[in-house]
Amino acid sequence: MKSTRKGLRDGELQKDTYERLTCSDCEKVLKKQDDPDEVFSVRICPGCEREWKDLR
């Protein structure tokens, strides 16, 4: 699982006009799954089910 920063650099993710992360393939806004026991949260694309981790 890559980080969101690396996904932005590789072109897998984009930011829309409201600074929300969107998947480049599906063009859908990523959902956020937050686990309180982890240091990071997981961003999931609802279209293609790919995941990226987002450090807090």
Side-chain angles (χ1 to χ4, degrees):
M1 182 177 353
K2 291 184 179 179
S3 68
T4 53
R5 283 182 162 187
K6 193 163 191 166
L8 284 166
R9 281 193 303 255
D10 292 344
E12 297 173 354
L13 298 175
Q14 298 175 2
K15 285 191 175 184
D16 64 0
T17 55
Y18 298 107
E19 295 294 316
R20 294 178 294 201
L21 290 173
T22 58
C23 179
S24 295
D25 296 336
C26 306
E27 297 181 359
K28 293 189 179 193
V29 177
L30 300 181
K31 303 287 183 184
K32 188 175 189 179
Q33 185 179 33
D34 193 16
D35 186 8
D37 296 333
E38 294 291 334
V39 178
F40 58 88
S41 57
V42 178
R43 298 286 189 133
I44 303 170
C45 176
C48 63
E49 302 293 322
R50 290 173 40 189
E51 296 180 347
W52 295 269
K53 57 182 167 178
D54 191 14
L55 293 174
R56 292 185 221 155

